[in-house]
Amino acid sequence: MKLDESLSALIEPMQNYVQDSIAGNKPAIHLTPMPEIAEKLQVRHWVDQGGMDVAALKMFTDHFLAETTRLRSPGFLAHQTGVSTSGGIIGALLDGMVNNPMNIYEMGPATASIEYVLINWMLEKAGWQPAPWPQDIDEKTVSGAGALTHGGSLGNLTAILAARTQAAPEAWEEGVSDDLILLATQHSHYSVARSAGLLGLGRKQIVAVETDDNGVIMPDSLPDVIQTQRSQGKRIIALIANACATAAGLFDPLRAIGEVCQAEGVWLHVDGAHGASVLLSEKLSGLMDGIELADSLIWDAHKMMQTPPLCTAVLVKNSKTLDQAFEQEGSYIFHDKKQPGFDFIGRTVECTRAGQALKLFLSLAEKGEKGLAQDLEAQTAFAQTVYRWIEQQPDVSSPVFPESNIICFSIDQADPIQIRDALIEDGEFHLSTTQYKNQRFLRMVFMHNHTRLSDIERLFTKIRALIQSAHP
Ligand SMILES: *Cc1c(COP(=O)(O)O)cnc(C)c1O
């Protein structure tokens, strides 16, 4: 396949795909059984035989696109994955073309340079000191630091590892002991529990901190938990706060939590995978007020910054903590001064790593910080509009006013899982469900601005019809 001919052949199908999705001309979701898809795409045939030419590529692409979940669709309300800007798409394509795994500078100087600047930009958004250029760093430099990594789950793992190194510097050499604990809420993303497991902490080593009825941390309760744990001889690796939590999209009060953590000398890690992007918005950044008091933050660009997956920033206030995370001696941190760039490899789980910064950069370059912020503000405002609309419905209720673009609801006589499954069967709307306040709710997330209130009205008409047919 010639590159130019292949690319040309894809322009029209890609353009149609985007337009049809946005217009809602095609189902948001359409789940064909796996063997049928494998057959239709002739997966085994092409693996065994090779030889795909441009005409076959075009046919394959048509079949492939027909079997995808359309995130741009007005009815796609299920998951927290953003829709890519044109810039982001081009970034992914260019990155695949140059194949510059940039974790060491010599393997991708252009992308590494972009990443260095983007990390500094994100550090500034968090109110932390950006890093000087690599050649200007010396032992006395005090600044923030960060790196991109493949997703929020890996981001949480990396940040918690950095925190563990500070709490238990011996652990890298000796392994973990059972006096180490993490403080988290039951509303933390499951990757926090997984990270704990991966770091060799048992389930019992995650201590739950109290939350209010909405699942938000109560800062006043923290000194007691911290003192109780310490009086039992426990060493606290970190307290993990949500910004925002996955289920209902609520933000923990970071300033009050940060003040307690600073007074007590506890590492505060903020899981901002979904919500940290509010830092781009003057209107919404108050939700992250106090973030500068934290020690580490993760921030997904593939959620609210319209960047193709995966692209997550792990950020720390003190660069030494991230540089020590994977390496106790830290001697290599002050890297070879002759090198013209920077090796991110000391800061990530990955060795070979995609040029993620290029995708985020081209998204930003296209929309600007302001453009991304406006979209996010519109998505949040829309969730609040939908909340008010729900308040008018006698048979629908929502457990909490949405602070972000996530909204949970229940509808009389409906089993959320059955409704979700029936909607998937129908295909126009795709919703998720979540466990919240000891109950299962249907859940909508607005990841783009293609959904109108009239779509939501049609969704509820559909749900009510489904309930009618189940309870005739
Ligand atoms: C999405 C999410 C994660 C996981 O991020 P991935 O990029 O999906 O790995 C972690 N924490 C929160 C709060 C999230 O919303």
Side-chain angles (χ1 to χ4, degrees):
M1 283 194 296
K2 290 220 177 86
L3 184 59
D4 55 348
E5 290 171 11
S6 318
L7 285 174
S8 307
L10 292 190
I11 292 174
E12 200 188 313
M14 285 173 77
Q15 183 65 17
N16 290 345
Y17 180 83
V18 170
Q19 280 173 357
D20 281 344
S21 303
I22 292 173
N25 294 338
K26 295 279 163 67
I29 184 157
H30 156 74
L31 294 181
T32 307
M34 190 183 269
E36 282 175 43
I37 295 186
E39 173 70 29
K40 193 165 134 195
L41 301 182
Q42 295 186 271
V43 179
R44 214 31 227 250
H45 164 84
W46 290 114
V47 170
D48 294 340
Q49 310 285 319
M52 183 182 272
D53 59 12
V54 172
L57 170 70
K58 210 162 176 218
M59 209 147 77
F60 166 82
T61 305
D62 288 342
H63 289 318
F64 171 78
L65 294 177
E67 299 297 341
T68 57
T69 299
R70 292 174 181 260
L71 274 63
R72 290 174 180 81
S73 153
F76 179 84
L77 307 168
H79 298 287
Q80 294 154 263
T81 307
V83 298
S84 310
T85 56
S86 301
I89 295 169
I90 300 302
L93 195 65
L94 274 180
D95 182 49
M97 197 259 300
V98 298
N99 199 6
N100 266 207
M102 44 56 66
N103 237 358
I104 51 175
Y105 192 65
E106 67 191 46
M107 286 297 285
T111 319
S113 302
I114 294 172
E115 180 162 327
Y116 205 87
V117 177
L118 290 187
I119 290 291
N120 270 344
W121 169 74
M122 293 166 111
L123 288 168
E124 282 172 28
K125 294 286 161 207
W128 294 340
Q129 186 66 37
W133 290 114
Q135 62 271 22
D136 299 329
I137 294 177
D138 61 26
E139 284 77 354
K140 286 189 237 91
T141 304
V142 182
S143 80
L148 298 178
T149 193
H150 286 93
S153 305
L154 215 44
N156 276 332
L157 175 67
T158 309
I160 296 169
L161 177 69
R164 190 193 73 180
T165 303
Q166 298 309 306
E170 80 290 350
W172 191 263
E173 200 62 32
E174 309 290 331
V176 285
S177 46
D178 61 7
D179 63 334
L180 289 170
I181 60 157
L182 277 175
L183 299 175
T185 80
Q186 54 170 351
H187 298 273
S188 294
H189 188 262
Y190 73 86
S191 60
V192 168
R194 280 196 183 176
S195 299
L198 288 166
L199 291 171
L201 302 175
R203 219 175 245 277
K204 284 194 219 152
Q205 287 163 271
I206 308 178
V207 175
V209 301
E210 257 184 276
T211 56
D212 68 12
D213 290 346
N214 291 330
V216 171
I217 290 179
M218 296 194 293
D220 292 347
S221 73
L222 294 175
D224 256 8
V225 188
I226 293 168
Q227 275 146 34
T228 306
Q229 292 300 321
R230 284 183 169 155
S231 70
Q232 293 167 10
K234 304 293 186 194
R235 288 185 290 167
I236 301 168
I237 296 176
L239 169 77
I240 296 160
N242 297 309
C244 50
T246 312
L250 299 189
F251 288 75
D252 286 327
L254 298 184
R255 180 164 302 283
I257 296 169
E259 280 165 2
V260 175
C261 286
Q262 283 207 332
E264 300 283 348
V266 170
W267 180 292
L268 173 59
H269 171 59
V270 176
D271 181 350
H274 182 90
S277 295
V278 298
L279 291 170
L280 306 185
S281 157
E282 266 174 43
K283 263 190 209 153
L284 298 175
S285 60
L287 292 164
M288 295 276 289
D289 176 52
I291 180 62
E292 73 279 5
L293 301 175
D295 298 281
S296 57
L297 166 68
I298 66 155
W299 179 354
D300 280 4
H302 56 275
K303 284 185 171 166
M304 301 307 296
M305 283 202 281
Q306 304 181 38
T307 298
L310 295 168
C311 185
T312 296
V314 187
L315 305 165
V316 294
K317 178 156 57 187
N318 179 344
S319 61
K320 298 199 172 50
T321 60
L322 186 55
D323 287 326
Q324 288 165 359
F326 294 98
E327 185 64 62
Q328 295 310 285
E329 300 83 60
S331 57
Y332 82 104
I333 301 165
F334 307 109
H335 42 82
D336 185 358
K337 293 287 195 295
K338 279 186 227 111
Q339 183 176 257
F342 182 80
D343 295 339
F344 280 95
I345 197 162
R347 295 181 175 173
T348 63
V349 174
E350 300 99 320
C351 173
T352 302
R353 174 156 69 86
Q356 301 155 302
L358 185 59
K359 300 184 276 188
L360 171 56
F361 170 67
L362 289 177
S363 253
L364 272 161
E366 177 180 334
K367 305 215 72 159
E369 214 181 290
K370 284 217 173 68
L372 290 179
Q374 278 165 3
D375 285 351
L376 196 150
E377 286 161 8
Q379 286 150 27
T380 306
F382 187 66
Q384 294 169 354
T385 302
V386 170
Y387 179 88
R388 293 195 192 93
W389 182 86
I390 283 177
E391 280 188 313
Q392 313 289 311
Q393 311 302 309
D395 54 342
V396 192
S397 61
S398 177
V400 67
F401 183 77
E403 283 184 334
S404 64
N405 55 337
I406 299 174
I407 183 164
C408 298
F409 68 93
S410 58
I411 178 159
D412 290 355
Q413 301 188 339
D415 170 9
I417 295 186
Q418 278 173 11
I419 295 292
R420 171 182 141 88
D421 289 349
L423 288 171
I424 289 177
E425 191 74 26
D426 174 80
E428 185 183 2
F429 293 99
H430 187 200
L431 272 62
S432 57
T433 74
T434 190
Q435 195 69 26
Y436 181 60
K437 298 192 181 191
N438 301 317
Q439 192 186 327
R440 189 153 285 276
F441 286 94
L442 281 156
R443 174 176 177 272
M444 297 186 275
V445 188
F446 305 108
M447 297 302 294
H448 53 56
N449 289 309
H450 311 316
T451 311
R452 301 275 164 268
L453 199 54
S454 56
D455 297 311
I456 299 298
E457 286 168 352
R458 212 169 50 259
L459 164 67
F460 279 87
T461 305
K462 220 163 229 186
I463 294 177
R464 287 173 180 131
L466 287 167
I467 296 169
Q468 277 290 314
S469 61
H471 307 272

